[in-house]
Amino acid sequence: MTVQQEALAGGEALEVWIDQDLCTGDGICAQYAPEVFELDIDGLAYVKGADDELLQAKGATVGVPLPLLTDVVDSARECPGECIHVRRVADQVEVYGPDAE
């Protein structure tokens, strides 16, 4: 079983963050999951907090709501900058994104 399958099967809490140093500003993430991602005036994507506030601190994370998991994963897979990281909260292992096993 892959790390991704284990995370999904176990219903583990996941979080997502964006590496703005790699962000190309294409906005694919915001198209897939506008509840989670948004482009700022600087042209880069950021994750959004529960109150829709952009979290601009380096490495800022938000939880991935289960109903949006597919959209967030598709964002990570389709991102041309390979800057979206989805990891398990429990052990910080990346399950989707450029550093996933």
Side-chain angles (χ1 to χ4, degrees):
M1 187 178 284
T2 67
V3 173
Q4 291 91 344
Q5 290 168 329
E6 289 175 14
L8 291 175
E12 300 181 62
L14 301 175
E15 62 186 7
V16 61
W17 66 281
I18 295 177
D19 182 344
Q20 279 78 26
D21 291 337
L22 300 175
C23 182
T24 59
D26 287 271
I28 291 171
C29 57
Q31 291 174 2
Y32 275 108
E35 303 89 350
V36 178
F37 307 108
E38 186 174 320
L39 292 178
D40 197 13
I41 194 165
D42 64 4
L44 301 177
Y46 294 87
V47 293
K48 297 186 339 183
D51 57 359
D52 279 348
E53 178 182 349
L54 294 185
L55 304 180
Q56 295 177 312
K58 188 170 184 77
T61 63
V62 295
V64 178
L66 190 55
L68 299 176
L69 178 58
T70 300
D71 295 334
V72 171
V73 168
D74 287 344
S75 296
R77 288 184 175 153
E78 299 296 324
C79 177
E82 297 184 343
C83 64
I84 300 172
H85 303 265
V86 181
R87 62 187 176 203
R88 288 190 301 239
V89 172
D91 59 9
Q92 301 293 291
V93 170
E94 187 162 320
V95 294
Y96 299 101
D99 299 329
E101 298 175 3

